[in-house]
Amino acid sequence: MIEAIISGANGLIAGFANLHWSNPVMMAIGCLLLYLGIKKDFEPLLLVPIGFGCIIVNIPLAGLMEKEGFLRTIYDAGIITELFPLLIFIGIGAMTDFTPVLENPYTFLLGAAGQCGIFLTLLLALALGFKYNEAVTIGIIGACDGPTVIYVASQYAQNLLGPCTVAAYSYMSLVPVLQPPIMRILTTKKERETIMKTHKRTVSKTTKLLFPIVITIVGGLIAPKGLPLLATIMLGNLMKESGAVARLTKASENEIANIVTLLLGISIGATMDGKVFAQPTTIIILALGLVAICLDTVCGVLFGKFLYLITGGKVNPLIGAAGISAFPMSARVVQKEGQKYNKKNYLLMHAMGANAGGQVGSVMAAAVMLSVLKGMGVI
Amino acid sequence: MMDRWTFGLTMLIVGMGGTLLTLILLSLIMTVLKKIFPYRPDEEKKD
């Protein structure tokens, strides 16, 4: 009888007995993510489920990520199959208005410049000894685009999925803090004060409808390995612009996006098991992610300065900083920064063009990267 | 198997170059499409 009671009581303390030192550390990190999401409003839709997933996966013996554990089932169904990031992309496409980039197609180029950080960080990761597939995944953090990072990591470096995703979403939410100092360092006061003329241009509905179709066909032919990324975002946009499938558009940007975001977040949190996550490599990845996003901003602003020079001072170089995928946060940062130096400066629409260009640019960069890797026989 | 630097520099040149060229091409196509299908206020009114 007493033995049975002791055995039963042992069952209640087994969780404590099996606690690895890294588990409480990760639970604290999970709480930090919850704090950032709930109190600081940093990407709460993602950080709250990620933080909670991180806490529960670090409770020993629950077996949530073991075979047939509920988190493993969600993870296998949505992350391993790449389904979750692609479904999110349909929602992003349905929510994004690409009119600003269509009004000024040259802003596509700012979207390209804003992707330099991806490739420069890839070089840095290689120099630090990461394997090819790992270096590619770390570089993709520079796309500043969570679903793209998850898509690439789930295919080529599942061991880095957790740290890369946390880095991508955390730094995306830190764009208003990270970008302004870089913008100030790289530009002169005169450049920041540049007023850009607002041309009242409009884009026909036919052009808006053709945009997603053209991007899918041309982009897909150039970079077929990235077609799932391109096609899903453009399908969402086509549904939005056509207006013919309002129910599907609404479902994509609301119900589907919400459900998938929840499942995606908790699955990413589930990859943050202390024994795997609490490694020096994670710190290096977080640092490289920061470098990637800073380099994107540097290259974007430098390209903006180049446009300023060749147009004889008609382009405010600050809009180059919006050539990243953090839409529309980055454009708002540019508008705010521009108005600080000239109250009459309204850069928002130009910056939105660069930002929408950055959205396409980040997907295109990932697609091109995957196709180049395929061409080189690495994947 | 190529060495790390060959791989990295190839990715930088072909990857970044490819991204830039693709986006230049897309921006040219969109400029042409805008010229072929210009905005007409009556078109929007019909919708």
Side-chain angles (χ1 to χ4, degrees), chain A residues 79-313:
Chain A
I79 304 283
I80 299 292
T81 58
E82 303 150 18
L83 206 57
F84 287 166
L86 297 179
L87 287 172
I88 292 274
F89 259 137
I90 297 180
I92 293 175
M95 283 181 244
T96 309
D97 182 6
F98 287 105
T99 309
V101 77
L102 292 175
E103 282 176 344
N104 296 300
Y106 80 89
T107 51
F108 265 122
L109 303 184
L110 291 163
Q115 312 309 320
C116 282
I118 298 176
F119 300 96
L120 296 172
T121 308
L122 186 154
L123 276 180
L124 275 175
L126 284 172
L128 289 171
F130 284 96
K131 293 179 196 154
Y132 291 173
N133 56 335
E134 292 175 341
V136 166
T137 307
I138 294 168
I140 282 289
I141 299 174
C144 216
D145 189 343
T148 305
V149 173
I150 296 165
Y151 180 83
V152 174
S154 64
Q155 281 195 77
Y156 306 110
Q158 282 176 24
N159 54 323
L160 303 185
L161 183 64
C164 287
T165 309
V166 171
Y169 280 110
S170 308
Y171 296 139
M172 269 165 68
S173 62
L174 287 174
V175 158
V177 181
L178 297 175
Q179 286 200 314
I182 298 171
M183 290 152 82
R184 274 174 237 146
I185 290 168
L186 293 177
T187 52
T188 62
K189 191 165 179 284
K190 191 184 164 204
E191 286 170 341
R192 291 193 290 270
E193 286 173 347
T194 308
I195 291 180
M196 289 181 74
K197 279 183 192 162
T198 311
H199 302 288
K200 182 144 178 68
R201 285 182 231 175
T202 34
V203 181
S204 69
K205 187 168 179 179
T206 314
T207 309
K208 286 185 195 176
L209 276 173
L210 286 171
F211 170 73
I213 299 169
V214 167
I215 298 267
T216 306
I217 295 172
V218 177
L221 285 170
I222 294 172
K225 281 297 281 178
L227 186 59
L229 292 170
L230 274 175
T232 44
I233 195 167
M234 289 304 145
L235 170 64
N237 189 250
L238 180 64
M239 292 195 302
K240 170 189 153 69
E241 295 301 343
S242 73
V245 282
R247 278 170 54 192
L248 296 185
T249 310
K250 214 175 146 205
S252 302
E253 60 185 356
N254 295 303
E255 293 85 353
I256 295 173
N258 290 341
I259 293 168
V260 176
T261 301
L262 172 63
L263 298 176
L264 184 76
I266 202 161
S267 324
I268 298 301
T271 64
M272 294 168 74
D273 184 337
K275 289 176 196 126
V276 184
F277 198 90
Q279 304 282 343
T281 315
T282 304
I283 310 283
I284 299 171
I285 292 170
L286 293 176
L288 284 172
L290 179 65
V291 170
I293 290 175
C294 291
L295 284 174
D296 283 343
T297 310
V298 168
C299 295
V301 175
L302 290 179
F303 192 74
K305 280 173 84 84
F306 171 70
L307 290 180
Y308 174 85
L309 276 176
I310 60 166
T311 57

Side-chain angles (χ1 to χ4, degrees), chain A residues 61-73:
Chain A
L61 306 179
L64 301 181
M65 277 300 270
E66 283 166 20
K67 202 183 170 205
E68 294 180 6
F70 99 95
L71 288 182
R72 169 61 65 185
T73 308

Side-chain angles (χ1 to χ4, degrees), chain B residues 1-3 6-7 10-12 14-15 19 21 23-28 30 33-35 37 39-42 44 46:
Chain B
M1 194 72 173
M2 75 196 87
D3 67 81
T6 310
F7 172 74
T10 308
M11 286 304 292
L12 180 68
V14 185
T19 305
L21 286 176
L23 289 172
I24 289 173
L25 178 65
L26 290 174
S27 97
L28 290 175
M30 294 323 296
L33 283 176
K34 274 178 66 182
K35 295 233 186 291
F37 304 105
Y39 173 76
R40 287 193 201 92
D42 52 318
E44 300 293 311
K46 254 190 264 171

